[in-house]
mmCIF file of all heavy atoms in Angstrom:
data_model
loop_
_atom_site.group_PDB
_atom_site.id
_atom_site.type_symbol
_atom_site.label_atom_id
_atom_site.label_comp_id
_atom_site.label_asym_id
_atom_site.label_seq_id
_atom_site.Cartn_x
_atom_site.Cartn_y
_atom_site.Cartn_z
ATOM 1 N N LEU F 1160 176.599 115.660 76.567
ATOM 2 C CA LEU F 1160 177.842 114.993 76.466
ATOM 3 C C LEU F 1160 178.652 115.014 77.753
ATOM 4 O O LEU F 1160 179.141 113.949 78.236
ATOM 5 C CB LEU F 1160 178.777 115.589 75.407
ATOM 6 C CG LEU F 1160 178.459 115.196 73.956
ATOM 7 C CD1 LEU F 1160 179.232 116.090 72.923
ATOM 8 C CD2 LEU F 1160 178.670 113.733 73.685
ATOM 9 N N ILE F 1161 178.533 116.214 78.393
ATOM 10 C CA ILE F 1161 179.208 116.280 79.683
ATOM 11 C C ILE F 1161 178.570 115.325 80.729
ATOM 12 O O ILE F 1161 179.225 114.595 81.416
ATOM 13 C CB ILE F 1161 179.145 117.752 80.284
ATOM 14 C CG1 ILE F 1161 179.937 118.655 79.307
ATOM 15 C CG2 ILE F 1161 179.567 117.773 81.673
ATOM 16 C CD1 ILE F 1161 179.746 120.197 79.530
ATOM 17 N N TYR F 1162 177.228 115.353 80.757
ATOM 18 C CA TYR F 1162 176.484 114.468 81.636
ATOM 19 C C TYR F 1162 176.952 112.976 81.301
ATOM 20 O O TYR F 1162 177.243 112.229 82.285
ATOM 21 C CB TYR F 1162 174.960 114.502 81.383
ATOM 22 C CG TYR F 1162 174.199 113.400 82.189
ATOM 23 C CD1 TYR F 1162 173.909 113.618 83.482
ATOM 24 C CD2 TYR F 1162 173.917 112.194 81.597
ATOM 25 C CE1 TYR F 1162 173.202 112.783 84.235
ATOM 26 C CE2 TYR F 1162 173.162 111.236 82.279
ATOM 27 C CZ TYR F 1162 172.898 111.462 83.600
ATOM 28 O OH TYR F 1162 172.218 110.460 84.186
ATOM 29 N N ILE F 1163 176.973 112.515 80.098
ATOM 30 C CA ILE F 1163 177.298 111.157 79.663
ATOM 31 C C ILE F 1163 178.749 110.700 80.136
ATOM 32 O O ILE F 1163 178.971 109.777 80.697
ATOM 33 C CB ILE F 1163 177.044 110.910 78.184
ATOM 34 C CG1 ILE F 1163 175.536 110.944 78.055
ATOM 35 C CG2 ILE F 1163 177.622 109.653 77.810
ATOM 36 C CD1 ILE F 1163 175.173 110.911 76.528
ATOM 37 N N ILE F 1164 179.642 111.742 79.774
ATOM 38 C CA ILE F 1164 181.133 111.454 80.152
ATOM 39 C C ILE F 1164 181.299 111.293 81.584
ATOM 40 O O ILE F 1164 181.933 110.373 82.135
ATOM 41 C CB ILE F 1164 181.992 112.496 79.492
ATOM 42 C CG1 ILE F 1164 181.935 112.503 78.039
ATOM 43 C CG2 ILE F 1164 183.411 112.463 80.004
ATOM 44 C CD1 ILE F 1164 182.569 113.775 77.339
ATOM 45 N N LYS F 1165 180.661 112.049 82.302
ATOM 46 C CA LYS F 1165 180.818 112.039 83.777
ATOM 47 C C LYS F 1165 180.106 110.756 84.319
ATOM 48 O O LYS F 1165 180.713 110.111 85.198
ATOM 49 C CB LYS F 1165 180.048 113.247 84.423
ATOM 50 C CG LYS F 1165 180.840 114.578 84.440
ATOM 51 C CD LYS F 1165 179.901 115.644 85.064
ATOM 52 C CE LYS F 1165 180.629 116.617 85.837
ATOM 53 N NZ LYS F 1165 179.706 117.725 86.162
ATOM 54 N N HIS F 1166 179.009 110.492 83.838
ATOM 55 C CA HIS F 1166 178.267 109.349 84.343
ATOM 56 C C HIS F 1166 179.079 108.053 84.002
ATOM 57 O O HIS F 1166 179.169 107.107 84.818
ATOM 58 C CB HIS F 1166 176.852 109.171 83.649
ATOM 59 C CG HIS F 1166 175.891 108.231 84.217
ATOM 60 N ND1 HIS F 1166 175.868 106.923 83.631
ATOM 61 C CD2 HIS F 1166 175.085 108.222 85.246
ATOM 62 C CE1 HIS F 1166 174.974 106.186 84.514
ATOM 63 N NE2 HIS F 1166 174.511 107.069 85.359
ATOM 64 N N ALA F 1167 179.637 108.009 82.878
ATOM 65 C CA ALA F 1167 180.412 106.806 82.355
ATOM 66 C C ALA F 1167 181.782 106.791 83.050
ATOM 67 O O ALA F 1167 182.502 105.759 83.086
ATOM 68 C CB ALA F 1167 180.551 106.722 80.859
ATOM 69 N N GLU F 1168 182.162 107.962 83.575
ATOM 70 C CA GLU F 1168 183.621 108.099 84.090
ATOM 71 C C GLU F 1168 184.657 107.775 83.132
ATOM 72 O O GLU F 1168 185.572 107.041 83.391
ATOM 73 C CB GLU F 1168 183.748 107.354 85.396
ATOM 74 C CG GLU F 1168 182.766 107.582 86.503
ATOM 75 C CD GLU F 1168 182.766 106.630 87.637
ATOM 76 O OE1 GLU F 1168 183.722 106.555 88.433
ATOM 77 O OE2 GLU F 1168 181.727 105.812 87.607
ATOM 78 N N ASP F 1169 184.497 108.287 81.868
ATOM 79 C CA ASP F 1169 185.421 108.113 80.820
ATOM 80 C C ASP F 1169 186.834 108.648 81.279
ATOM 81 O O ASP F 1169 186.863 109.800 81.731
ATOM 82 C CB ASP F 1169 184.927 108.812 79.530
ATOM 83 C CG ASP F 1169 183.716 108.211 79.110
ATOM 84 O OD1 ASP F 1169 183.479 106.903 79.180
ATOM 85 O OD2 ASP F 1169 182.875 108.922 78.499
ATOM 86 N N GLU F 1170 187.933 107.957 80.896
ATOM 87 C CA GLU F 1170 189.196 108.401 81.386
ATOM 88 C C GLU F 1170 190.023 108.898 80.200
ATOM 89 O O GLU F 1170 190.979 109.799 80.465
ATOM 90 C CB GLU F 1170 189.997 107.306 82.137
ATOM 91 C CG GLU F 1170 189.146 106.865 83.363
ATOM 92 C CD GLU F 1170 189.920 105.874 84.275
ATOM 93 O OE1 GLU F 1170 191.169 105.987 84.450
ATOM 94 O OE2 GLU F 1170 189.313 104.939 84.835
ATOM 95 N N ILE F 1171 189.788 108.434 79.055
ATOM 96 C CA ILE F 1171 190.566 108.853 77.865
ATOM 97 C C ILE F 1171 189.496 109.095 76.840
ATOM 98 O O ILE F 1171 188.548 108.317 76.624
ATOM 99 C CB ILE F 1171 191.681 107.788 77.461
ATOM 100 C CG1 ILE F 1171 192.716 107.654 78.505
ATOM 101 C CG2 ILE F 1171 192.214 108.199 76.053
ATOM 102 C CD1 ILE F 1171 193.764 106.566 78.296
ATOM 103 N N ILE F 1172 189.681 110.082 75.982
ATOM 104 C CA ILE F 1172 188.791 110.362 74.870
ATOM 105 C C ILE F 1172 189.671 110.389 73.530
ATOM 106 O O ILE F 1172 190.609 111.033 73.346
ATOM 107 C CB ILE F 1172 187.978 111.663 74.834
ATOM 108 C CG1 ILE F 1172 187.150 111.625 76.218
ATOM 109 C CG2 ILE F 1172 187.160 111.806 73.748
ATOM 110 C CD1 ILE F 1172 186.173 112.660 76.289
ATOM 111 N N PHE F 1173 189.257 109.402 72.646
ATOM 112 C CA PHE F 1173 189.838 109.337 71.298
ATOM 113 C C PHE F 1173 188.774 110.172 70.459
ATOM 114 O O PHE F 1173 187.680 109.898 70.372
ATOM 115 C CB PHE F 1173 189.861 107.920 70.664
ATOM 116 C CG PHE F 1173 190.752 107.062 71.516
ATOM 117 C CD1 PHE F 1173 190.414 106.276 72.536
ATOM 118 C CD2 PHE F 1173 192.243 107.101 71.168
ATOM 119 C CE1 PHE F 1173 191.300 105.467 73.256
ATOM 120 C CE2 PHE F 1173 193.030 106.296 71.878
ATOM 121 C CZ PHE F 1173 192.612 105.508 72.941
ATOM 122 N N SER F 1174 189.447 111.223 69.742
ATOM 123 C CA SER F 1174 188.506 112.086 68.997
ATOM 124 C C SER F 1174 189.033 112.439 67.591
ATOM 125 O O SER F 1174 190.216 112.570 67.424
ATOM 126 C CB SER F 1174 188.368 113.404 69.881
ATOM 127 O OG SER F 1174 187.645 114.352 69.107
ATOM 128 N N ASP F 1175 188.159 112.698 66.660
ATOM 129 C CA ASP F 1175 188.520 113.278 65.383
ATOM 130 C C ASP F 1175 188.849 114.708 65.592
ATOM 131 O O ASP F 1175 188.337 115.361 66.603
ATOM 132 C CB ASP F 1175 187.280 113.222 64.470
ATOM 133 C CG ASP F 1175 187.204 111.800 63.769
ATOM 134 O OD1 ASP F 1175 188.209 111.178 63.567
ATOM 135 O OD2 ASP F 1175 186.030 111.538 63.280
ATOM 136 N N ILE F 1176 189.788 115.181 64.769
ATOM 137 C CA ILE F 1176 190.298 116.682 64.964
ATOM 138 C C ILE F 1176 189.141 117.566 64.811
ATOM 139 O O ILE F 1176 189.047 118.694 65.363
ATOM 140 C CB ILE F 1176 191.438 116.910 64.148
ATOM 141 C CG1 ILE F 1176 191.052 116.681 62.613
ATOM 142 C CG2 ILE F 1176 192.716 116.272 64.542
ATOM 143 C CD1 ILE F 1176 192.113 117.246 61.715
ATOM 144 N N SER F 1177 188.037 117.255 64.056
ATOM 145 C CA SER F 1177 186.915 118.225 63.804
ATOM 146 C C SER F 1177 186.250 118.550 65.165
ATOM 147 O O SER F 1177 185.482 119.548 65.175
ATOM 148 C CB SER F 1177 185.979 117.615 62.757
ATOM 149 O OG SER F 1177 185.799 116.342 63.083
ATOM 150 N N PHE F 1178 186.395 117.681 66.194
ATOM 151 C CA PHE F 1178 185.615 118.004 67.408
ATOM 152 C C PHE F 1178 186.538 118.752 68.397
ATOM 153 O O PHE F 1178 186.162 118.912 69.580
ATOM 154 C CB PHE F 1178 185.196 116.647 68.082
ATOM 155 C CG PHE F 1178 184.237 115.982 67.115
ATOM 156 C CD1 PHE F 1178 184.517 114.608 66.779
ATOM 157 C CD2 PHE F 1178 183.108 116.590 66.584
ATOM 158 C CE1 PHE F 1178 183.710 114.004 65.837
ATOM 159 C CE2 PHE F 1178 182.295 115.910 65.749
ATOM 160 C CZ PHE F 1178 182.608 114.624 65.351
ATOM 161 N N ALA F 1179 187.675 119.209 68.015
ATOM 162 C CA ALA F 1179 188.597 119.887 68.956
ATOM 163 C C ALA F 1179 187.994 121.124 69.610
ATOM 164 O O ALA F 1179 188.010 121.181 70.813
ATOM 165 C CB ALA F 1179 189.922 120.293 68.268
ATOM 166 N N PRO F 1180 187.201 121.983 68.863
ATOM 167 C CA PRO F 1180 186.594 123.105 69.572
ATOM 168 C C PRO F 1180 185.679 122.729 70.637
ATOM 169 O O PRO F 1180 185.604 123.259 71.635
ATOM 170 C CB PRO F 1180 185.852 123.901 68.393
ATOM 171 C CG PRO F 1180 186.575 123.395 67.176
ATOM 172 C CD PRO F 1180 186.983 122.094 67.387
ATOM 173 N N LEU F 1181 184.828 121.679 70.318
ATOM 174 C CA LEU F 1181 183.873 121.121 71.284
ATOM 175 C C LEU F 1181 184.626 120.551 72.572
ATOM 176 O O LEU F 1181 184.148 120.772 73.629
ATOM 177 C CB LEU F 1181 183.073 119.928 70.637
ATOM 178 C CG LEU F 1181 182.053 119.144 71.447
ATOM 179 C CD1 LEU F 1181 180.882 120.126 71.929
ATOM 180 C CD2 LEU F 1181 181.492 118.045 70.614
ATOM 181 N N LEU F 1182 185.731 119.777 72.336
ATOM 182 C CA LEU F 1182 186.349 119.341 73.450
ATOM 183 C C LEU F 1182 187.023 120.336 74.373
ATOM 184 O O LEU F 1182 187.090 120.219 75.569
ATOM 185 C CB LEU F 1182 187.451 118.232 72.976
ATOM 186 C CG LEU F 1182 187.023 116.929 72.457
ATOM 187 C CD1 LEU F 1182 188.134 116.057 72.091
ATOM 188 C CD2 LEU F 1182 186.111 116.195 73.514
#
Side-chain angles (χ1 to χ4, degrees):
L1160 281 171
I1161 294 168
Y1162 171 86
I1163 289 174
I1164 293 168
K1165 279 175 145 173
H1166 191 268
E1168 300 168 74
D1169 295 328
E1170 297 188 38
I1171 295 176
I1172 298 192
F1173 294 94
S1174 172
D1175 278 332
I1176 54 171
S1177 47
F1178 302 122
L1181 176 63
L1182 287 181

